[in-house]
């Protein structure tokens, strides 16, 4: 099976190292960006990522804006986005979905929970793709 590529847009180096280690351990490929600007660039490079892990609080551009921009670019429009937020407020959750995120996790989250959520997203998107493919085949 194809190894899914996950783009991590997160500025905390320790967290990025932990995420990369655990994701690679699960068989995923990773690509990392410490800023929103770099994240937007890397999201558009081939191969296009299969999922974006996006921190809400980045040093340069707000995660919500990155999310909006990714949804506005044709190449990245359909990539599932999981928001990582240190803010537990209801508002952060609402905003995440308003700008087109597929899921969110509030820090501190367990890596196990993150991996389960990622697996669930891939299961959903793969099912959608297969169904679409089957329909076009006729």
């Amino acid at each position: 099976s194809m190894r899914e590529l996950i783009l991590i847009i997160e500025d905390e180096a320790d967290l990025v190292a932990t995420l990369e280690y655990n994701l690679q351990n699960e068989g995923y490929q990773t690509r990392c960006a410490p800023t929103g600007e770099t994240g937007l660039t890397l999201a558009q490079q081939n191969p296009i990522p299969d999922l974006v892990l996006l921190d809400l609080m980045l040093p340069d551009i707000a995660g919500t804006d990155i999310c909006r921009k990714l949804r506005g670019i044709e190449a990245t429009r359909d990539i599932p986005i999981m928001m990582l937020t240190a803010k537990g407020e209801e508002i952060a959750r609402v905003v995440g979905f308003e700008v087109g995120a597929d899921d969110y996790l509030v820090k501190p989250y367990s890596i196990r929970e993150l991996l389960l959520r990622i697996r669930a997203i891939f299961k959903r998107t793969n099912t959608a793709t297969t169904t679409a493919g089957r329909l076009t085949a006729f």
Side-chain angles (χ1 to χ4, degrees), residues 5-7 9 31 36-54 63-82 99-102 121 125:
L5 171 65
I6 297 177
L7 170 62
I9 308 178
R31 192 184 283 173
E37 199 61 61
T38 312
L40 282 171
T41 306
L42 293 183
Q44 296 173 73
Q45 281 176 9
N46 280 322
I48 299 288
D50 297 293
L51 176 84
V52 174
L53 290 181
L54 174 62
T64 48
D65 289 340
I66 301 290
C67 204
R68 249 186 225 108
K69 288 185 163 130
L70 289 172
R71 288 288 172 253
I73 300 164
E74 196 172 343
T76 61
R77 183 168 296 147
D78 301 320
I79 305 174
I81 297 170
M82 185 181 294
V99 295
D102 295 83
I121 288 178
T125 50

Side-chain angles (χ1 to χ4, degrees), residues 56 64 85 87-99:
L56 201 58
T64 48
T85 168
K87 297 197 166 126
E89 298 96 307
E90 217 49 47
I91 188 79
R93 302 172 187 196
V94 172
V95 165
F97 288 105
E98 266 177 20
V99 295

Side-chain angles (χ1 to χ4, degrees), residues 110-129:
S110 76
I111 292 290
R112 190 168 171 275
E113 169 83 354
L114 178 74
L115 294 172
L116 288 170
R117 299 282 193 97
I118 289 173
R119 216 171 289 149
I121 288 178
F122 283 139
K123 204 176 240 172
R124 277 205 302 274
T125 50
N126 291 342
T127 310
T129 319

